[in-house]
Amino acid sequence: MKQAAQKRTAKSEAEKTLPIGRRERNKQEKLGRILAAARDLFAAKGFSETTTQEIAERADIGTGTLFLYAKSKEDLLIMVFKDEMIETSQTAFRKVSPDMPLVDQLMQVFGAMVAYHNRDLPLARALIREITILSGPDRKEDVRELMRIIYGGIGDVITAARARERIRTGIDLVLVGEALFGIYYVGLIGWLNGHMTKQAFLKRLRAKLALSIDGLRVAAAETAPAGRPMRSRKS
């Protein structure tokens, strides 16, 4: 154990003398090992049973070095989640069927996110606890980066469907993305807390998204042909 620690110290000292470009590559390579080790151990042992010592050993670094990249195991959970959810959401947006109704397109995207969480429900619950109220600035920026991608992707889906779905112009699409994701996120928490089944969650999500899309559409009075005013209802 002592020899291994001395070896890691010597390796760390040698890295300090590397040119900046190579040093940065080594830093990124080490971060990749850390996140891969955390991901594997979280999946194999569960979040609560995994220790930072085990993550460091699997990544072949010292525990002190690990804490240069992440201040806690919770930090590592968010870092792993951010990378995986960026990949999940970007893939989902690319696979959106262009001719489907907007509500089905959004369900495709959110359905991919639900499937991601459904792979490991205990880990998903631990994750939601950590990201609901963030403490450190680094992790806040991680979540902001992910949210920018998701909000922008939802906005792009709505833009592509605007003419077909009669969506009003002049809408702040980032704000719409936040609102629609908020609907999904509240339902996600309810499902992970056991307040409803996954099937009930998805059914209610579709209904709420459909109501929201109706609110984004041009009012019927605005689409009536010129010279043919809408009839008023007789009392």
Side-chain angles (χ1 to χ4, degrees):
M1 182 71 73
K2 184 177 180 181
Q3 288 180 337
Q6 290 174 339
K7 181 179 178 182
R8 285 194 291 264
T9 300
K11 186 177 179 181
S12 177
E13 290 298 322
E15 287 177 347
K16 292 179 182 179
T17 64
L18 292 172
I20 292 177
R22 187 177 174 189
R23 191 186 312 160
E24 184 61 29
R25 287 197 299 273
N26 283 354
K27 184 177 178 181
Q28 291 302 315
E29 187 271 338
K30 190 174 294 182
L31 176 60
R33 294 206 316 268
I34 291 170
L35 294 181
R39 184 182 298 111
D40 291 345
L41 286 167
F42 290 159
K45 298 187 63 176
F47 176 74
S48 60
E49 298 301 318
T50 300
T51 67
T52 52
Q53 179 66 40
E54 290 172 320
I55 295 171
E57 288 177 356
R58 179 165 293 205
D60 192 27
I61 60 171
T63 306
T65 301
L66 173 66
F67 290 132
L68 295 176
Y69 291 83
K71 294 181 175 61
S72 65
K73 184 174 66 171
E74 289 74 19
D75 267 10
L76 285 170
L77 176 61
I78 295 172
M79 292 165 74
V80 168
F81 163 73
K82 182 204 78 169
D83 289 346
E84 292 185 344
M85 185 51 72
I86 285 177
E87 181 180 354
T88 297
S89 58
Q90 288 180 330
T91 299
F93 286 125
R94 284 196 301 270
K95 290 184 176 180
V96 163
S97 304
D99 298 325
M100 292 178 68
L102 180 54
V103 67
D104 291 329
Q105 293 176 331
L106 293 173
M107 286 300 296
Q108 276 189 309
V109 173
F110 290 130
M113 297 179 187
V114 171
Y116 167 82
H117 291 299
N118 195 51
R119 294 184 315 190
D120 191 332
L121 291 179
L123 190 62
R125 293 185 184 104
L127 170 69
I128 295 303
R129 283 195 299 270
E130 295 305 321
I131 65 174
T132 299
I133 301 178
L134 293 163
S135 54
D138 291 339
R139 302 294 73 81
K140 287 179 181 177
E141 183 50 41
D142 283 339
V143 174
R144 286 192 196 101
E145 179 186 354
L146 171 60
M147 291 299 97
R148 283 193 291 266
I149 291 171
I150 292 176
Y151 298 157
I154 293 173
D156 290 342
V157 170
I158 294 172
T159 297
R162 172 167 266 153
R164 185 180 72 249
E165 297 277 348
R166 298 185 297 108
I167 303 298
R168 299 197 309 271
T169 58
I171 295 174
D172 185 337
L173 293 178
V174 173
L175 195 62
V176 173
E178 290 182 24
L180 297 180
F181 183 83
I183 291 171
Y184 156 78
Y185 192 72
V186 169
L188 176 70
I189 292 174
W191 167 50
L192 293 178
N193 276 333
H195 295 160
M196 66 186 84
T197 65
K198 185 179 77 169
Q199 291 74 19
F201 163 41
L202 293 174
K203 182 178 180 180
R204 290 174 65 84
L205 176 60
R206 172 181 286 275
K208 291 176 182 179
L209 292 176
L211 283 174
S212 299
I213 293 168
D214 282 344
L216 296 174
R217 290 194 172 103
V218 175
E222 299 176 45
T223 59
R228 294 178 58 187
M230 303 253 330
R231 291 182 180 179
S232 59
R233 293 183 179 178
K234 295 181 179 180
S235 56

